[in-house]
Amino acid sequence: MSQWSTHQLTDFFSAVNAATDEESAVAYAVERAAEMVEAEVAAVMVGDEVRGEWGFGPEVPVAGLLRADERLGVPGLGALHTCYTGLGEGRKQGALMVGRLSDEFGAEERQMLHGMAQVLGLALRSIRVLSDERGLRADSEREAEVAQTRQMLVETLLTIQRSISGRRPLPEILDLVTSGAAVLLGANSVALMLAEEGRARRLTVASTAGTPEAATHEGEAREAMAGGQALIRALSRDSVIAAPLQVTSEMAGSLVARLPGPAERHTGHRDQLAAFAQQVSLALTDSRTVEAVHEAHHDPVTGLPNRGLFLKIFNRVLASRDVATDPTSVLFIDLDRFKAVNDSLGHEAGDALLAAVAGRIRGCVRASDTTARLGGDEFAVLLHDSPIDSAISVAERIINAVKDPFRVADRDIFIGASIGVAISRETSEHSDVLLNNADVAMYRAKKEGPGKMVVYEPYMHTEALNVLSLRGDLQKALDAGEFALQYQPLIRLETGEVAGVEALIRWHSPGRGLVSPVDFIPIAEESGLIVEIGQWVLETAATQVAAWRRTFPDLTLNVNVSGHQLVHPRFADNVMRALAVAGLPSSTVTLELTESVLMSDPDLARASLTALRRLGVQLSIDDFGTGYSSLAYLRELPVDELKVDRAFIARAELTAEDLALVRTIVQLGQILGLRVVAEGIENAAQLEALRSLGCGYGQGYHLCRPADAADLPPFLERASLRHPNASLIA
Ligand code: C2E
Ligand code: MG
Ligand code: MG
């Protein structure tokens, strides 16, 4: 098996094209072809004639050559393996033959020989055109033009091959191919389309030159690939030429050109593009460039197209349709709680989860739609022709599909998806603008809670800008001392005394006034800043409560903890350090976590919580009833307290179902030995209803609003009168 290189091919190409007569072109070609595949003999036949041969000696077996025998008997040599390839379309154009004693010709060798034959065919045809014309009239201008074209072809190919062996960045090489072809043919537009791996073998535009039209001729590109040869099609005013690219034995894509004027005028151009495509094919094979193209355009974890490729496909779709009658929608998908899984289970499990999610998303869309991974836990889906209604139903299907648990690393992982939807309404819209709109809508969906879908509206854009600047300001807020804590008492309902306080963070932003934690905590979580902020909350609250405990020794502290803190590897250490610095016993501290945090990875939550529990810290499930924790998990988690979400309390006096739910939670608490705290008690009727249900603790505006540290002691005093030491110390 011989090794060939692009350099050899380039040499071959330049030499054959430099030939001024058929004879010398053929003589050079047969000799080099034989040499490159280590063949004993080579010949070129045109029609019924052997035009040139190499290695046969005095007796050329003309009959056998013309029959294109698979095994060719050569006097003095024996029976040879042969390989015949055409010099162009049809037998009339002739063929190149090589014969070898040792072994059969492999696929790569056949492809290379095919490339050489194409080049030779092209050279012979232009030589013929020249001599014909010379015979008719001495048209030196025409001669110069043909020679110039050939010279340009050679130079363009040399540049491409030089950039391949020089390992230039791939996009640069591919752009050289398209711009080279555009100049060579005088085309308005050239596109290089490559077939993706996989069953559908979708074509993706890897490079374009000139105007974008060529990229829309996917039909012609496919046809050329299917037929294995260049074709030409007439449009109303223009012509399209498509030439297949072949890498090893596979059709790897097509080079498509759009030229002005009728097809008849461009048959010569078709041959040129075919030869050009041949050379590009060989160069691509040699450099394994197609593989690299695939790698450069695809995400290795999921095998899906990446952001760059997605935008390219999107642009092509937008350019090729009238969006007013034929709308295109894009979905921006962001996974809920993925970061927690990735941080806790490690990247390998995170990758496995992403791959599984990709599979489920693909299962929700048609094969003709495009699914991509944009990065991190973000995916996008392009629904090629889809009015808003069907886009919404696809989004809902995806949300449902991702909701089911994933089996990863021997655990059941619960995550979710938030989706933003944007629809193209005007032709002028750009893919990146639409994708950004879908992103903005996704952000809204996230805010509405996990597993939601929102369709983009223009006003959301302003809001998104606010979020961006919020993120920037948040970064500085901690150093600038803009955070403060308020404390809201937890009341023992039976006696009315204060059992403890919950610390609630406040942000006094100089620019925007008081910002609610509901608005900035999710942003702090997203940016990872929550770990630092959470630590500040713990230290500040622990120091404050330790001070109050000198007067109210039984006072306890509840602190809200985000999932991002919980999965931090040093979380338990950080908690213990804060308490030690403040001098607050761990048994007086309860950490509040929401159900969604616990459910995203119950196993990890259990591990981390058990460690904390062993250190004496108590644990509470905040906003209980709004998530979807199963009772089975509740039993296994080392939990001490349930806080019934205020949504149920607000209606507790009104609806029988809410009342029943609160009663069930209270009973559950009793059975499992957990404290039950009712959140958001706003009036006397609610307080009375909860008391009568036997709910142990309550919190709410009716009992006491969250207050600054300085304002709280009078309340603590009043509510703690029953404490034996209170009056003594105070
Ligand atoms: P949460 O932990 O469930 O806190 C209770 C929220 O309900 C507080 O809102 C509180 O001011 C409010 N609230 C208390 N009583 C009543 C009432 O009777 N009626 C009504 N309508 N609301 C009442 P806030 O302070 O705005 O905090 C909102 C959420 O922000 C908290 O919900 C908690 O999840 C989060 N958060 C607050 N501080 C922190 C913090 O330091 N760290 C973390 N990670 N999250 C925090
Ligand atoms: Mg709370
Ligand atoms: Mg709550």
Side-chain angles (χ1 to χ4, degrees):
M1 175 69 176
S2 60
Q3 283 298 322
W4 48 272
S5 72
T6 46
H7 290 292
Q8 282 173 295
L9 281 167
T10 312
D11 284 350
F12 178 84
F13 195 81
S14 344
V16 165
N17 273 287
T20 48
D21 60 292
E22 283 195 58
E23 204 178 317
S24 59
V26 168
Y28 179 82
V30 288
E31 189 177 337
R32 296 310 297 267
E35 184 187 287
M36 283 222 280
V37 295
E38 291 170 6
E40 277 76 14
V41 299
V44 165
M45 287 74 62
V46 178
D48 297 332
E49 216 182 300
V50 175
R51 285 286 169 85
E53 52 84 16
W54 187 85
F56 283 101
E59 282 180 66
V60 181
V62 177
L65 279 172
L66 292 177
R67 274 199 311 272
D69 289 344
E70 243 172 68
R71 297 292 296 246
L72 183 69
V74 177
L77 277 175
L80 305 184
H81 299 277
T82 62
C83 169
Y84 287 83
T85 67
L87 301 188
E89 247 174 88
R91 227 183 87 77
K92 206 174 84 230
Q93 301 282 356
L96 167 73
M97 171 273 174
V98 289
R100 185 162 74 189
L101 253 184
S102 59
D103 46 16
E104 282 179 46
F105 293 94
E108 281 197 26
E109 287 174 311
R110 286 176 184 278
Q111 194 207 341
M112 183 185 58
L113 289 165
H114 185 58
M116 295 169 84
Q118 293 273 312
V119 169
L120 178 62
L122 186 74
L124 294 182
R125 282 191 293 280
S126 53
I127 291 170
R128 258 173 246 145
V129 168
L130 279 182
S131 55
D132 286 357
E133 288 194 355
R134 218 181 274 135
L136 290 173
R137 57 197 161 102
D139 189 349
S140 62
E141 229 173 84
R142 173 88 183 121
E143 189 168 339
E145 193 185 307
V146 172
Q148 198 189 347
T149 308
R150 283 200 286 158
Q151 186 55 34
M152 208 155 73
L153 189 57
V154 174
E155 270 166 21
T156 311
L157 282 164
L158 278 175
T159 318
I160 292 169
Q161 285 170 349
R162 253 198 308 271
S163 62
I164 287 174
S165 36
R167 300 209 174 280
R168 302 298 308 155
L170 187 63
E172 197 178 295
I173 296 173
L174 300 182
D175 289 348
L176 271 175
V177 170
T178 47
S179 59
V183 172
L184 201 66
L185 308 185
N188 293 342
S189 164
V190 173
L192 175 63
M193 296 189 207
L194 293 177
E196 274 179 43
E197 298 286 318
R199 235 174 342 116
R201 303 231 71 201
R202 203 168 301 158
L203 288 184
T204 57
V205 179
S207 170
T208 55
T211 56
E213 293 90 47
T216 64
H217 292 287
E218 196 177 320
E220 285 85 350
R222 280 192 187 284
E223 213 181 306
M225 286 169 71
Q229 61 187 31
L231 56 85
I232 185 161
R233 292 279 175 271
L235 303 175
S236 59
R237 265 189 232 116
D238 295 351
S239 308
V240 178
I241 303 177
L245 297 166
Q246 188 181 358
V247 171
T248 48
S249 55
E250 260 197 88
M251 286 297 159
S254 271
L255 198 55
V256 180
R258 184 149 160 173
L259 301 112
E264 308 84 74
R265 208 196 285 166
H266 295 301
T267 41
H269 287 141
R270 179 193 54 202
D271 293 348
Q272 281 175 17
L273 191 68
F276 191 72
Q278 273 299 330
Q279 296 307 301
V280 169
S281 299
L282 292 167
L284 291 181
T285 308
D286 186 36
S287 68
R288 302 262 166 258
T289 307
V290 168
E291 226 167 89
V293 171
H294 193 263
E295 271 166 32
H297 286 100
H298 287 78
D299 158 47
V301 173
T302 60
L304 294 176
N306 62 17
R307 186 188 207 99
L309 178 55
F310 182 77
L311 288 174
K312 269 187 185 149
I313 296 172
F314 200 172
N315 276 330
R316 194 171 88 221
V317 168
L318 288 178
S320 68
R321 66 176 0 121
D322 178 4
V323 289
T325 55
D326 203 6
T328 297
S329 343
V330 61
L331 312 184
F332 194 110
I333 306 167
D334 188 286
L335 301 183
D336 302 326
R337 298 184 292 273
F338 175 76
K339 202 170 176 305
V341 174
N342 205 39
D343 289 350
S344 59
L345 292 185
H347 289 280
E348 219 170 286
D351 285 358
L353 181 59
L354 287 171
V357 169
R360 286 203 195 160
I361 294 175
R362 282 192 104 153
C364 295
V365 301
R366 288 171 299 188
S368 56
D369 295 328
T370 305
T371 304
R373 179 175 172 216
L374 302 177
D377 61 350
E378 293 172 349
F379 293 84
V381 174
L382 180 64
L383 301 169
H384 288 232
D385 53 297
S386 138
I388 184 75
D389 293 351
S390 58
I392 289 174
S393 68
V394 170
E396 280 166 354
R397 223 179 303 150
I398 292 173
I399 287 172
N400 282 327
V402 176
K403 214 184 260 166
D404 289 336
F406 288 86
R407 192 75 193 160
V408 170
D410 280 338
R411 297 161 192 243
D412 280 330
I413 308 284
F414 295 80
I415 54 162
S418 299
I419 302 184
V421 182
I423 309 251
S424 61
R425 289 170 219 269
E426 296 156 35
T427 350
S428 59
E429 279 166 320
H430 278 288
S431 61
D432 46 354
V433 172
L434 284 166
L435 188 63
N436 189 46
N437 290 351
D439 187 3
V440 166
M442 186 284 295
Y443 205 86
R444 288 280 299 202
K446 268 259 141 97
K447 249 182 105 171
E448 288 186 11
K452 292 285 190 318
M453 186 239 3
V454 166
V455 178
Y456 173 79
E457 297 290 341
Y459 76 86
M460 294 175 186
H461 197 69
T462 342
E463 232 175 49
L465 287 178
N466 278 339
V467 167
L468 268 185
S469 74
L470 199 74
R471 197 173 301 169
D473 290 353
L474 204 54
Q475 209 87 33
K476 295 168 233 143
L478 197 58
D479 296 330
E482 291 164 18
F483 291 120
L485 291 183
Q486 283 199 319
Y487 298 88
Q488 186 178 36
L490 278 78
I491 307 292
R492 197 166 283 143
L493 292 184
E494 210 187 334
T495 61
E497 62 191 334
V498 174
V501 291
E502 176 179 0
L504 294 164
I505 193 166
R506 301 289 175 256
W507 178 19
H508 298 280
S509 158
R512 38 185 106 235
L514 182 64
V515 187
S516 162
V518 175
D519 291 325
F520 72 81
I521 292 287
I523 295 166
E525 288 179 335
E526 201 178 274
S527 60
L529 215 58
I530 189 67
V531 173
E532 227 178 305
I533 294 176
Q535 191 63 17
W536 175 85
V537 171
L538 256 171
E539 284 167 13
T540 312
T543 308
Q544 179 62 67
V545 169
W548 279 334
R549 275 170 62 89
R550 288 198 276 275
T551 317
F552 312 102
D554 289 338
L555 197 70
T556 59
L557 168 65
N558 276 35
V559 177
N560 295 287
V561 167
S562 136
H564 297 258
Q565 291 171 266
L566 185 68
V567 296
H568 193 276
R570 300 189 49 81
F571 181 56
D573 291 348
N574 289 345
V575 172
M576 296 319 285
R577 188 160 33 86
L579 301 189
V581 169
L584 190 66
S586 57
S587 61
T588 65
V589 175
T590 301
L591 302 181
E592 297 189 7
L593 293 142
T594 58
E595 283 172 283
S596 55
V597 166
L598 301 175
M599 296 312 295
S600 65
D601 180 6
D603 292 331
L604 173 89
R606 186 165 42 227
S608 181
L609 294 180
T610 307
L612 279 162
R613 189 71 168 63
R614 224 175 271 133
L615 295 167
V617 176
Q618 303 206 22
L619 304 165
S620 170
I621 301 189
D622 203 351
D623 306 342
F624 190 72
T626 53
Y628 48 91
S629 34
S630 78
L631 295 180
Y633 279 121
L634 245 196
R635 229 199 178 95
E636 291 171 33
L637 289 170
V639 169
D640 304 277
E641 179 184 284
L642 299 179
K643 297 186 81 172
V644 186
D645 193 72
R646 70 164 180 269
F648 304 105
I649 310 304
R651 298 178 307 208
E653 48 180 333
L654 300 173
T655 78
E657 287 115 73
D658 285 331
L659 208 57
L661 186 119
V662 176
R663 183 183 291 125
T664 308
I665 297 174
V666 169
Q667 286 169 355
L668 181 74
Q670 282 163 354
I671 294 166
L672 297 176
L674 308 177
R675 287 192 301 271
V676 176
V677 183
E679 294 186 308
I681 300 176
E682 291 186 344
N683 57 46
Q686 289 166 351
L687 178 62
E688 207 34 59
L690 288 161
R691 253 199 203 122
S692 66
L693 287 177
C695 181
Y697 299 84
Q699 213 179 335
Y701 295 167
H702 179 66
L703 300 166
C704 183
R705 284 188 175 260
D708 293 345
D711 300 333
L712 208 61
F715 183 86
L716 296 180
E717 230 153 276
R718 249 186 298 135
S720 314
L721 283 181
R722 297 198 46 188
H723 197 279
N725 297 334
S727 49
L728 269 176
I729 300 170

